[in-house]
Amino acid sequence: MRIPLLLALVLICLLAFSPGSSSPSPSKAKSFRTLLAVTVAPELGRRSAPWTSSPPRAAPAQVLDVFWSDRLDGAPSAGFSDLHIKRWQLKARSSRLVSLERGCGRLSNRLASFSDGTRACLRYGINPDQVLGETLSFYLSRLLGIRNVPALALSRVNINAEQWLRVRQDVQGSQWADKPIVSLTEWISNLTDVVTPPSLRTEGRRLHPLVEDLANVTSQEMLELVQWSDLILFDYLTANFDRLASNLLSLQWDSRVMERSTNNLHRTAKGALVFIDNEAGLVHGYRVLPMWDRYHEVLLKTLCIFRKETARKIAELYKSQNVANQLLDLYRTSEPLASQMGFLSEEHAEMLQSRTDRLYKHILQCKAKYSK
């Protein structure tokens, strides 16, 4: 009886590994393991995510925990260095203006040219709050270590001052108020438009540390997604509705708005995203927050991957509970006209801290969900 039993076992093994078997071939199995390459990330409380019936697969090697890898995080293409900012501000505050032309958005704005050929967007806000919002948004980006906002300097228009003498007639024909404070932001040439990434464009928009979110992304697209993660946090913190949030609102009557160029966002030839026109940030954005906050929350919930440096700074600002004071110190130290331009109201300073706290807790929630 033992011999027939042995033959039966051999026959079963041959059938199981025959060409007609449903088991994967060695090459396919290897390919699948290579795709995953890491263990499954545990879920908080061991519950499945709402979008899947099983625990989500962990992300590829470009993501560590809920942070971009060091190779992506420190990419040299992303933004303007501190040295560049200081040099540009010095030039903008000391160089003579030679022309003011129509350009840079609103009719009251001007494309300014300096004697050395440097150009800048001169922004004269509909009201001073817009210039203040643009300025404080810039300094907040530097406080957070987000390097995608172009250099900015304030200037008081004075046709009798040496810097403004050669554009006296242009100023007199502009119908500006007497001696207003305007912002000068660095003009970046050869910019291209930017479309929302596919992972954030569809109805189930999401950028989480999962294979299905990142497996088919090219290296260049990955470098851009790192900057998008900063952009979502930055616009949430400043409550800037004039970029991503406005696109979500427009979906009600324009289903393809996400497939077109994103407002106030461009790309340099080196691949750095440039966050321009931040006038709606902080001051005006906080004033109209009840109308826009649900869109900011939707965008925040799409994101669960962060730059380590940005997340570290948010944690520091949460623990210190003095983000407005730190912003004020940087602003006053770096901007000679800060005392004349003003700062956030007490109410808006509290809003800034509250939104910083919200970001910190959101990052903790992502870590609890996806940390190994």
Side-chain angles (χ1 to χ4, degrees), residues 23-35:
S23 299
S25 65
S27 62
K28 289 184 178 179
K30 181 178 180 182
S31 175
F32 183 69
R33 287 195 298 272
T34 302
L35 174 65

Side-chain angles (χ1 to χ4, degrees), residues 265-286:
L265 182 65
H266 296 284
R267 182 191 297 109
T268 69
K270 292 184 178 180
L273 298 186
V274 183
F275 311 165
I276 66 167
D277 292 359
N278 297 289
E279 295 172 324
L282 293 171
V283 186
H284 187 51
Y286 284 178

Side-chain angles (χ1 to χ4, degrees), residues 143-281:
L143 183 64
L144 291 169
I146 295 175
R147 300 169 293 174
N148 301 78
V149 181
L152 177 146
L154 294 178
S155 180
R156 182 175 289 282
V157 179
N158 182 356
I159 57 176
N160 296 317
E162 183 178 357
Q163 183 176 33
W164 294 87
L165 277 176
R166 293 182 62 179
V167 293
R168 176 194 294 263
Q169 291 184 343
D170 295 328
V171 171
Q172 291 174 332
S174 65
Q175 297 182 338
W176 293 341
D178 184 41
K179 297 182 179 179
I181 295 179
V182 297
S183 66
L184 296 168
T185 56
E186 182 179 5
W187 171 265
I188 311 296
S189 59
N190 300 320
L191 293 177
T192 55
D193 292 338
V194 178
V195 176
T196 305
S199 57
L200 299 175
R201 194 184 308 162
T202 58
E203 185 175 350
R205 57 186 59 87
R206 184 188 66 195
L207 185 57
H208 286 206
L210 302 170
V211 168
E212 51 265 43
D213 287 10
L214 299 170
N216 297 318
V217 178
T218 67
S219 298
Q220 186 58 43
E221 289 169 340
M222 197 75 73
L223 288 170
E224 192 163 298
L225 286 175
V226 174
Q227 298 172 77
W228 271 89
S229 65
D230 268 356
L231 177 61
I232 291 171
L233 295 181
F234 181 60
D235 279 359
Y236 182 88
L237 199 54
T238 61
N240 187 346
F241 56 85
D242 195 18
R243 190 156 30 227
L244 305 180
S246 59
N247 276 359
L248 290 186
L249 174 64
S250 299
L251 281 173
Q252 299 176 67
W253 54 81
D254 183 0
S255 62
R256 304 190 66 179
V257 66
M258 292 292 191
E259 300 173 24
R260 288 189 279 277
S261 301
T262 303
N263 194 36
N264 296 328
L265 182 65
H266 296 284
R267 182 191 297 109
T268 69
K270 292 184 178 180
L273 298 186
V274 183
F275 311 165
I276 66 167
D277 292 359
N278 297 289
E279 295 172 324

Side-chain angles (χ1 to χ4, degrees), residues 70-206:
D70 292 339
R71 181 181 66 83
L72 292 171
D73 204 327
S77 63
F80 309 99
S81 68
D82 290 340
L83 180 60
H84 173 87
I85 295 293
K86 289 178 180 179
R87 285 176 174 173
W88 192 91
Q89 287 181 326
L90 179 62
K91 183 183 297 184
R93 291 170 180 145
S94 59
S95 299
R96 291 185 178 184
L97 288 161
V98 295
S99 70
L100 298 177
E101 307 169 51
R102 289 290 177 92
C104 295
R106 191 180 297 111
L107 290 176
S108 59
N109 294 344
R110 294 291 185 272
L111 177 59
S113 296
F114 294 96
S115 55
D116 66 349
T118 302
R119 305 171 88 186
C121 273
L122 185 158
R123 289 189 169 85
Y124 173 90
I126 295 176
N127 59 62
D129 283 351
Q130 290 179 312
V131 177
L132 179 61
E134 174 94 19
T135 304
L136 294 182
S137 293
F138 164 73
Y139 282 108
L140 183 60
S141 73
R142 305 311 296 183
L143 183 64
L144 291 169
I146 295 175
R147 300 169 293 174
N148 301 78
V149 181
L152 177 146
L154 294 178
S155 180
R156 182 175 289 282
V157 179
N158 182 356
I159 57 176
N160 296 317
E162 183 178 357
Q163 183 176 33
W164 294 87
L165 277 176
R166 293 182 62 179
V167 293
R168 176 194 294 263
Q169 291 184 343
D170 295 328
V171 171
Q172 291 174 332
S174 65
Q175 297 182 338
W176 293 341
D178 184 41
K179 297 182 179 179
I181 295 179
V182 297
S183 66
L184 296 168
T185 56
E186 182 179 5
W187 171 265
I188 311 296
S189 59
N190 300 320
L191 293 177
T192 55
D193 292 338
V194 178
V195 176
T196 305
S199 57
L200 299 175
R201 194 184 308 162
T202 58
E203 185 175 350
R205 57 186 59 87
R206 184 188 66 195

Side-chain angles (χ1 to χ4, degrees), residues 1-16:
M1 293 297 292
R2 290 181 180 178
I3 294 176
L5 179 59
L6 181 60
L7 289 173
L9 291 173
V10 171
L11 181 60
I12 291 172
C13 290
L14 289 172
L15 288 173

